[in-house]
């Protein structure tokens, strides 16, 4: 049940937020799995920690935001490392040479 849920919830967030962050990072740095995992974790915390704190301060039901915070904190670095490995394998010096 978790993989379909993660794809439905995490996929759009990755497309809207994750890809622009990764592209901005790639413009300045070489992609490595470890750095991308850390970048994904930091980005996820930057987004969901304030949302969680606002929900907690409002005294409302913050179970939904805590699910995003906990699962995102686990899956964001994992996905960052996997996608970093994919992009690292795709980035070759051979392809940077012009004809």
């Amino acid at each position: 049940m978790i993989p379909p849920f993660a794809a439905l919830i995490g996929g759009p967030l990755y497309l809207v937020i994750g890809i622009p962050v990764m592209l901005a990072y790639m413009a300045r740095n070489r992609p490595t799995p470890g750095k991308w995992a850390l970048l994904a974790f930091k980005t996820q915390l930057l987004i969901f920690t304030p949302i969680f704190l606002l929900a907690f301060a409002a005294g409302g039901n913050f179970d939904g935001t805590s699910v995003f915070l906990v699962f995102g904190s686990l899956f964001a670095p994992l996905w960052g490392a996997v996608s970093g490995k994919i992009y690292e394998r795709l980035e070759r010096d051979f392809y940077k040479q012009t004809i």
Side-chain angles (χ1 to χ4, degrees):
M1 184 68 179
I2 291 176
F5 176 74
L8 290 174
I9 300 301
L13 290 173
Y14 173 71
L15 292 174
V16 172
I17 298 168
I19 289 178
V21 168
M22 290 173 132
L23 289 174
Y25 181 82
M26 275 182 28
R28 295 178 192 89
N29 303 296
R30 288 187 66 102
T32 62
K35 289 179 183 177
W36 274 26
L38 184 62
L39 179 66
F41 183 67
K42 286 180 180 179
T43 303
Q44 193 272 335
L45 285 181
L46 183 69
I47 295 166
F48 285 105
T49 300
I51 294 170
F52 176 77
L53 293 175
L54 286 172
F56 183 72
N61 182 4
F62 57 92
D63 290 339
T65 56
S66 63
V67 167
F68 277 105
L69 189 61
V70 171
F71 277 112
S73 295
L74 297 172
F75 287 112
L78 180 65
W79 180 251
V82 169
S83 61
K85 189 66 176 172
I86 291 170
Y87 286 113
E88 184 182 51
R89 297 275 299 166
L90 291 176
E91 183 187 55
R92 302 252 190 249
D93 291 332
F94 172 77
Y95 297 116
K96 293 181 182 178
Q97 302 295 324
T98 58
I99 297 178

